[in-house]
Amino acid sequence: MFMKLNLASSTTTKRLCILKKTIDDVAAKIDRREKLFHSTVWRTPSCHLSNRMLLKILLGFLCGVGASAAENDTAQQGPPPLLLVSFDGFRADYLQRFPMPNLKLLYSQGVLVEQLTNVFITKTFPNHYSLVTGLYAESHGILASNMYDPVSHKHFHIGNDTDPMWWNEAQPIWVTALDSGYKTAAMMWPGSEVTFRNRTATHFLPYNSRVTFQERLGNVTNWMLGDGKEQGAMFAALYWEEPDRSGHMFGPDNTTAMSKALKEVDDNVGLLISELKRTGLWGRINILVTSDHGMAQCSADRLIRLDDCLHPNNYTLVDLTPVAALIPKNDPEAVFALLKQCNTHMTAYLKKAIPDRLHYRNNERIQQIILIADEGWTIVQRGNKLPRLGDHGYDNSLSSMHPFLAATGPSFRKNYQISSLQSVDIYPLMCHLLSVPPQPNNGTLNQARCLLTAETCWNVPLMISLVVGVLLVLTTITVLFRLLSHRRPSGPRPFQRLQVDDDDDDDPLLE
Ligand SMILES: [Zn+2]
């Protein structure tokens, strides 16, 4: 699809340039005619001149923009390798609240998307799989941290997640890129140790929290460099579990604790930059630094107790907070009615009524009733114990749930920012950067292409329509002006036309 877009763009550029040349030629001919018949022209020549000039300027500009993009396309011999890094639970506004000098250095030499609208539910596994598939959770099938599959009757929990059955509804990019002849790598990214139709990334290591960031990074750079005999990985994904762990433990409002956690994250970004420079990869590869979700402050004063509303014998609990998934045991409508009025800070939905905007309905693993807590509220079954001071999973329209995206490398603009992007758009962007045909996905390249140096944000069909529109308006004005001028009562016309034709041998009156 993207090759077609590039081709279309290149063809449009050529057509614009041909059109401009044609107009230049025609304009030159008209100039010659006007010089010849200058004495007969009593209309306003400056009007035609300005129309033509405007059109030439517009077409010249479009031709120049397109030619520049085409030159950049052809100048590049094969795509640069791509490194995708996720710092789990990096809430977008941490960038404003904390210094982060290394991360700011990285995106000052590239681009920043201030907020990514991630997918519902705003949990780690659904969002990490969305980043590498471009799909909403209902489409890739990793719907929560705890799932029940009614077909296989299997249960999914973090820590018991490597059964390929759960992951095989969507093909991750580290498998897709293999089909383009690339080596790929995934370091502890959720789902990367699971086989997808008997395939994994060329290189991967299963999750192990005791492996330091530096050790993970060292492996990734070795995989990207290759060893002389084996080609380096063209795509690599690297996962790190902070600042999510500190966010849960202390809550995002604990400035002292989060400052320390984010200083460590920024130090790791510094390690990333220095290791890429040491190995010669810096400046040669494209780097995306992002996250899966944000974090909200929770409180023991904001608990929703399910036991206050109905007895637990009435349902089977699949997942609890901040999005609970329940299977009612008896009368689903009666259970739903009790849950619906359980707490003003919790919204209950029957599966069929889950709002379209959440893209969280069309999958068998979504249970018959889901409950969504308001921001900062925690669902428990009973008691007064708050499980975590910070949590995520809430509605993905909340800015506290949004992560960010920073990127740098030869394909990206320098010192450029946009305010928002959909996280499902990152997958088509990565496929474009790698020249890999994307799998069907929920994303689009329309907005993400603005981040790239070789692309223009201009909508070429719109610009062509604009030029044609301006041309039509100018032509209409000119025609109207001429018609009105012809109807204008006038005195005796000068007879220059007869003077020009004085030596016309065909004039019978002169015979
Ligand atoms: Zn996470």
Side-chain angles (χ1 to χ4, degrees):
M1 178 174 74
F2 305 107
M3 295 303 288
K4 280 181 188 168
L5 278 175
N6 281 341
L7 192 63
S9 171
S10 167
T11 309
T12 307
T13 301
K14 283 178 191 165
R15 284 177 184 160
L16 281 172
C17 294
I18 291 166
L19 180 58
K20 179 179 177 291
K21 187 173 184 310
T22 308
I23 286 177
D24 285 345
D25 291 342
V26 171
K29 285 176 186 168
I30 291 171
D31 283 342
R32 284 196 294 275
R33 274 194 59 201
E34 280 182 0
K35 278 176 191 164
L36 183 63
F37 294 105
H38 184 261
S39 54
T40 69
V41 177
W42 60 280
R43 61 180 180 257
T44 313
S46 60
C47 174
H48 270 262
L49 186 65
S50 57
N51 293 354
R52 212 169 52 241
M53 284 296 291
L54 182 59
L55 178 62
K56 283 168 71 177
I57 289 166
L58 276 170
L59 285 169
F61 182 65
L62 284 176
C63 178
V65 168
S68 167
E71 277 165 18
N72 284 332
D73 280 346
T74 52
Q76 193 171 296
Q77 299 297 318
L82 174 62
L83 172 60
L84 170 66
V85 184
S86 171
F87 289 101
D88 195 319
F90 196 121
R91 178 170 149 162
D93 68 358
Y94 288 163
L95 276 175
Q96 283 82 51
R97 288 178 55 201
F98 301 99
M100 312 300 296
N102 289 306
L103 190 50
K104 284 174 182 165
L105 175 72
L106 185 142
Y107 68 71
S108 70
Q109 298 179 24
V111 301
L112 174 68
V113 179
E114 290 173 309
Q115 293 210 0
L116 274 184
T117 303
N118 46 354
V119 309
F120 185 77
I121 66 174
T122 52
K123 288 279 192 180
T124 299
F125 274 44
N127 272 284
H128 273 99
Y129 215 42
S130 290
L131 285 169
V132 295
T133 61
L135 294 166
Y136 298 123
E138 68 174 4
S139 301
H140 64 52
I142 303 298
L143 292 139
S145 305
N146 300 291
M147 293 186 283
Y148 169 70
D149 186 274
V151 178
S152 63
H153 303 290
K154 289 180 179 177
H155 290 267
F156 175 100
H157 305 287
I158 289 180
N160 175 27
D161 57 20
T162 54
D163 185 337
M165 179 275 292
W166 295 103
W167 303 86
N168 66 11
E169 290 182 14
Q171 179 172 295
I173 191 170
W174 56 72
V175 172
T176 306
L178 297 174
D179 294 332
S180 295
Y182 295 148
K183 306 286 183 191
T184 61
M187 173 58 83
M188 303 191 190
W189 196 275
S192 58
E193 63 201 90
V194 184
T195 56
F196 178 86
R197 294 175 193 161
N198 294 322
R199 294 199 293 174
T200 61
T202 316
H203 311 277
F204 68 93
L205 280 182
Y207 182 68
N208 181 346
S209 61
R210 286 170 298 183
V211 180
T212 66
F213 182 83
Q214 194 162 9
E215 288 166 335
R216 296 182 199 187
L217 176 62
N219 276 287
V220 166
T221 50
N222 284 338
W223 291 336
M224 295 194 85
L225 286 166
D227 62 2
K229 281 180 270 178
E230 189 174 84
Q231 173 195 353
M234 275 292 283
F235 171 82
L238 168 60
Y239 171 82
W240 182 242
E241 47 268 44
E242 284 283 20
D244 180 76
R245 192 161 49 190
S246 298
H248 283 302
M249 197 178 300
F250 305 109
D253 291 355
N254 185 332
T255 302
T256 307
M258 291 314 296
S259 181
K260 183 169 178 290
L262 286 156
K263 164 80 170 57
E264 288 172 9
V265 167
D266 192 63
D267 287 346
N268 286 335
V269 176
L271 272 178
L272 171 73
I273 294 172
S274 60
E275 176 70 0
L276 293 175
K277 285 185 174 170
R278 187 187 69 76
T279 54
L281 290 168
W282 183 260
R284 286 205 301 117
I285 66 169
N286 289 314
I287 306 151
L288 300 179
V289 179
T290 188
S291 183
D292 49 351
H293 53 72
M295 189 69 69
Q297 184 69 40
C298 299
S299 165
D301 297 330
R302 296 194 291 269
L303 290 176
I304 300 161
R305 296 175 193 83
L306 295 183
D307 280 9
D308 291 351
C309 306
L310 82 169
H311 194 278
N313 287 348
N314 290 295
Y315 61 88
T316 300
L317 191 67
V318 175
D319 203 5
L320 184 56
T321 190
V323 179
L326 284 74
I327 307 169
K329 282 186 177 168
N330 300 311
D331 181 357
E333 295 290 341
V335 171
F336 176 70
L338 288 169
L339 290 167
K340 197 179 175 193
Q341 52 192 344
C342 181
N343 192 300
T344 53
H345 296 286
M346 180 177 82
T347 308
Y349 292 105
L350 284 170
K351 180 176 179 176
K352 63 187 177 192
I354 297 171
D356 290 344
R357 68 175 182 84
L358 296 175
H359 301 285
Y360 200 79
R361 190 170 57 225
N362 300 308
N363 195 294
E364 285 173 329
R365 297 171 190 166
I366 296 169
Q367 305 307 330
Q368 290 176 50
I369 295 174
I370 70 162
L371 313 170
I372 306 176
D374 286 354
E375 181 180 16
W377 286 76
T378 302
I379 304 172
V380 296
Q381 285 195 285
R382 63 194 68 87
N384 297 313
K385 191 169 180 297
L386 180 71
R388 289 174 290 277
L389 275 167
D391 211 356
H392 54 89
Y394 301 97
D395 193 320
N396 64 330
S397 65
L398 296 167
S399 61
S400 64
M401 291 298 103
H402 292 168
F404 73 102
L405 170 70
T408 189
S411 303
F412 287 96
R413 291 185 175 201
K414 309 293 176 222
N415 198 20
Y416 183 75
Q417 293 196 11
I418 60 173
S419 58
S420 65
L421 190 71
Q422 301 286 319
S423 70
V424 290
D425 293 347
I426 291 179
Y427 171 79
L429 172 66
M430 293 194 299
C431 289
H432 178 74
L433 288 169
L434 291 169
S435 294
V436 165
Q439 292 288 301
N441 64 83
N442 298 122
T444 166
L445 199 56
N446 288 347
Q447 205 184 348
R449 71 166 67 246
C450 297
L451 305 172
L452 303 177
T453 187
E455 296 285 339
T456 173
C457 294
W458 293 36
N459 183 331
V460 173
L462 179 69
M463 290 309 298
I464 292 171
S465 305
L466 191 66
V467 169
V468 171
V470 168
L471 187 59
L472 282 173
V473 168
L474 292 177
T475 307
T476 306
I477 291 171
T478 307
V479 168
L480 283 173
F481 186 82
R482 291 183 71 180
L483 283 173
L484 288 172
S485 302
H486 277 295
R487 287 180 183 177
R488 189 187 300 164
S490 58
R493 291 189 183 192
F495 286 91
Q496 290 90 336
R497 176 78 173 90
L498 285 175
Q499 288 168 11
V500 169
D501 292 346
D502 268 355
D503 55 351
D504 190 343
D505 294 336
D506 294 328
D507 190 339
L509 291 176
L510 296 178
E511 284 181 356

